[in-house]
Amino acid sequence: MTYCVRRLSTLLLNFKPSQSIPALRKYSSVSEDKLLYFAFRGRGEPIRIIYALAQVPLKDERVPISLDHWMNIKRDQPLGQLPVLTCSEGTLVQSKSIARYAAKKFGLAGKSIWEEALSDMIIETCDCSFGEIGAKIVPWKYLKSEPKPANHEQVLADVKEKIIQTIEFIQKGAEERGKRFIISDEISLGDVMFYSSLEVAAAVYPDLMKYNSWVEDFVLNFISDDRISKYLASRPQSQLPI
């Protein structure tokens, strides 16, 4: 939901130009938190959605897809990559670490250790499958930083097959639990990561958002949340489809 930003940072060098809201942990509506990420969804979007769910302001600083601009700020980043979250506690890097931090801070990581573990499982599973879009497809399809592979149709088919396996795995667990969302009756981190992954995948495989009735119901329930629908309607246009 998602791909390796370290790889993306390297590729940019060659770039050619109405529901009730569940109770959340109390947190000041005045936030000093700032997210620095590229001007598309990618690995930054789950973090943005978490703040929208928590209804906590986030300074969302979007870096244009420009080699010159990126090189001007790259050396100032802790690992020379994005995203970077700056908050009152300090600075965080690595997208999944940032997402987990924000979700725990706002009470969206799960109500028990077990629910947190389920969320972690979904995060890692999505990263291992949806993440291949960034590793194997984005460079030649969107960034044009690598030539289209001769076997590109097979690459697309193989990645899609792996993503479908992930969807069916997540669906099976969700149906066994029998809750409104994947883990519980309230939106949690696992839902955010899965939805964000589907959004990225839909740029390459538009049919995945309607893969089956379970996926359609999940997407509808997720985007019908007032906080999510408000965010989706107001977010800036992505510079890339992903």
Side-chain angles (χ1 to χ4, degrees), residues 41 55 58 100 104 128 140 160-161 182 197 237:
R41 293 187 290 273
Q55 298 180 298
L58 173 68
R100 288 183 173 107
K104 289 179 180 180
C128 288
W140 56 266
K160 185 175 184 179
E161 181 181 1
I182 297 173
S197 298
Q237 184 174 356

Side-chain angles (χ1 to χ4, degrees), residues 26-35 47-48 50-52 54-60 85-90 101-102 105-106:
K26 292 182 179 180
Y27 189 79
S28 172
S29 61
V30 179
S31 173
E32 299 176 355
D33 298 2
K34 181 184 81 171
L35 178 69
I47 302 164
R48 295 165 179 150
I50 290 168
Y51 276 82
Q55 298 180 298
V56 172
L58 173 68
K59 184 177 181 182
D60 184 12
L85 181 78
T86 305
C87 58
S88 59
E89 291 90 349
Y101 160 79
K105 182 157 121 174
F106 304 136

Side-chain angles (χ1 to χ4, degrees), residues 43-122:
R43 286 186 177 269
E45 199 64 6
I47 302 164
R48 295 165 179 150
I49 291 176
I50 290 168
Y51 276 82
L53 279 168
Q55 298 180 298
V56 172
L58 173 68
K59 184 177 181 182
D60 184 12
E61 188 170 329
R62 300 185 179 223
V63 178
I65 309 298
S66 159
L67 174 60
D68 290 340
H69 188 91
W70 171 235
M71 292 308 295
N72 284 336
I73 67 171
K74 176 180 170 68
R75 60 180 170 270
D76 298 325
Q77 308 315 312
L79 292 176
Q81 64 186 51
L82 301 178
V84 174
L85 181 78
T86 305
C87 58
S88 59
E89 291 90 349
T91 299
L92 280 177
V93 296
Q94 302 293 354
S95 59
K96 292 185 290 184
S97 295
I98 296 170
R100 288 183 173 107
Y101 160 79
K104 289 179 180 180
K105 182 157 121 174
F106 304 136
L108 294 166
K111 293 182 177 179
S112 66
I113 294 176
W114 178 245
E115 288 189 0
E116 286 191 27
L118 290 174
S119 275
D120 282 341
M121 179 179 69
I122 292 166

Side-chain angles (χ1 to χ4, degrees), residues 4 13 47 99 159:
C4 180
L13 294 175
I47 302 164
V159 172

